[in-house]
């Protein structure tokens, strides 16, 4: 039996601007199994970022259910959503979102600030996960002394340090050159394959999407194609 980590049912998002309204998502259904690596593609305005924000409990659905690790987060209060974001979700952004006055270790530790872990444990875990992403020995460097690829590795370590159920990545290679883009994708693939990390990545880059197990295509707020790519065999639904 499939182990479904994320289940979305009849998801609709409505934004109102005076007398006008926009529906970036319309009656969308989606399931992601634990351990999957899924990319979401589509033209600008197709609802990709809105979908990621709702999965990440940053935005709320207008209608529908969002079950994350068996919990219907669509019904939660803002204080409960904060705990879900902290404990269940890791975020990786295109712009890295590192604090420039903190070093790499401190940026990773920041994700654990309200987790209840003692300072010594936070430091040890930060060092462990920086080592995991290949930044051992760079933990005292501030973002200005790190390359863009290294900054994204710090962001990935920060996303992983609380052992989230799912990692959500919004254009994680969008600001990187070809070499760093390849390195970050190899790292994400290794985390998925060796650690079983569930990853959903929004991307415009077909080369990025081709490396994931599954590609979901959005258009007009709906899924128009869902393509499995496991073992190099494509099964289109």
């Amino acid at each position: 039996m499939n182990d479904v980590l994320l289940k979305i049912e009849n998801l609709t998002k409505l934004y109102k601007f005076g007398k006008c309204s926009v529906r970036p998502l319309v009656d969308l259904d989606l399931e992601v199994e634990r351990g999957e690596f899924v990319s979401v593609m589509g033209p600008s305005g197709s609802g990709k970022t809105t979908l990621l924000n709702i999965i990440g409990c940053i935005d709320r659905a207008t209608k529908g259910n969002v079950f994350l690790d068996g919990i219907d987060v669509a019904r939660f209060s803002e204080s409960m959503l904060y705990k879900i974001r902290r404990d269940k979700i890791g975020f990786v952004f295109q712009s890295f979102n590192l604090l420039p006055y903190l070093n790499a270790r401190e940026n990773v530790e920041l994700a654990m600030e309200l987790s209840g872990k003692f300072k010594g444990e936070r430091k040890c875990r930060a060092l462990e996960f920086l080592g995991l992403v290949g930044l051992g020995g760079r933990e005292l460097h501030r973002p200005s002394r790190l390359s863009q690829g290294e900054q994204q590795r710090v962001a990935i370590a920060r996303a992983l340090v609380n052992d989230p159920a799912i990692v959500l990545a919004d254009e994680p290679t969008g600001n990187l050159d070809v070499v760093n883009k390849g390195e970050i994708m190899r790292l994400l693939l290794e985390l998925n394959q060796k650690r079983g990390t569930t990853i959903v990545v929004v991307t415009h880059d077909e080369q990025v999407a081709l490396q994931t197990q599954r590609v979901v295509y959005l258009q007009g707020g709906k899924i128009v194609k869902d393509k499995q790519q496991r073992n190099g065999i494509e099964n289109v639904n």
Side-chain angles (χ1 to χ4, degrees):
M1 188 172 75
N2 294 342
D3 185 1
V4 176
L5 174 65
L6 173 68
K7 184 174 184 179
I8 295 173
E9 300 175 329
N10 301 317
L11 181 65
T12 295
K13 179 62 181 179
L14 172 67
Y15 292 110
K16 290 188 177 181
F17 306 96
K19 295 182 179 180
C20 300
S21 61
V22 176
R23 288 181 171 83
L25 298 171
V26 183
D27 294 329
L28 184 144
D29 295 316
L30 176 67
E31 290 188 359
V32 175
E33 294 179 25
R34 198 177 302 275
E36 269 197 296
F37 192 166
V38 180
S39 54
V40 180
M41 298 194 73
S44 296
S46 60
K48 303 185 300 297
T49 298
T50 300
L51 176 60
L52 207 68
N53 286 344
I54 291 174
I55 296 171
C57 301
I58 295 172
D59 200 356
R60 289 181 178 272
T62 304
K63 184 184 75 172
N65 300 306
V66 181
F67 294 94
L68 179 60
D69 213 8
I71 302 168
D72 187 359
V73 297
R75 304 290 174 259
F76 274 21
S77 66
E78 185 55 40
S79 61
M80 289 298 294
L81 288 178
Y82 166 77
K83 293 178 181 178
I84 292 292
R85 288 193 296 269
R86 182 191 67 196
D87 299 335
K88 296 282 187 182
I89 304 167
F91 295 95
V92 180
F93 302 97
Q94 179 177 350
S95 56
F96 319 137
N97 286 8
L98 302 179
L99 295 182
Y101 52 86
L102 298 181
N103 62 38
R105 192 201 75 221
E106 291 166 337
N107 266 285
V108 176
E109 283 186 61
L110 193 62
M112 299 178 279
E113 195 71 30
L114 299 176
S115 65
K117 296 180 175 67
F118 292 111
K119 185 176 181 179
E121 183 182 359
R122 295 199 303 268
K123 180 178 179 180
C124 286
R125 284 185 65 83
L127 293 174
E128 175 190 349
F129 279 84
L130 284 169
L132 179 69
V133 300
L135 288 180
R138 306 282 280 172
E139 59 271 3
L140 298 182
H141 287 60
R142 291 185 179 182
S144 61
R145 295 184 59 199
L146 298 171
S147 70
Q148 289 189 322
E150 288 172 331
Q151 289 181 60
Q152 193 61 294
R153 286 172 180 267
V154 175
I156 291 170
R158 181 184 59 192
L160 293 171
V161 74
N162 284 324
D163 292 324
I166 191 169
V167 170
L168 305 177
D170 191 1
E171 298 283 359
T173 63
N175 282 341
L176 303 178
D177 59 27
V178 172
V179 173
N180 281 311
K181 182 188 301 183
E183 290 298 322
I184 291 300
M185 280 308 299
R186 277 190 285 274
L187 173 59
L188 291 175
L189 286 164
E190 182 175 326
L191 292 169
N192 171 254
Q193 294 168 4
K194 293 187 177 180
R195 290 178 61 89
T197 305
T198 306
I199 303 173
V200 175
V201 55
V202 163
T203 182
H204 283 96
D205 192 328
E206 290 188 3
Q207 293 304 311
V208 169
L210 285 171
Q211 296 178 68
T212 65
Q213 296 172 341
R214 178 180 166 201
V215 186
V216 174
Y217 294 89
L218 292 185
Q219 188 169 342
K222 297 183 177 182
I223 295 175
V224 294
K225 186 164 65 171
D226 190 339
K227 183 173 69 175
Q228 298 283 348
Q229 301 184 143
R230 291 185 180 129
N231 301 320
I233 299 173
E234 296 183 359
N235 297 308
V236 180
N237 295 320

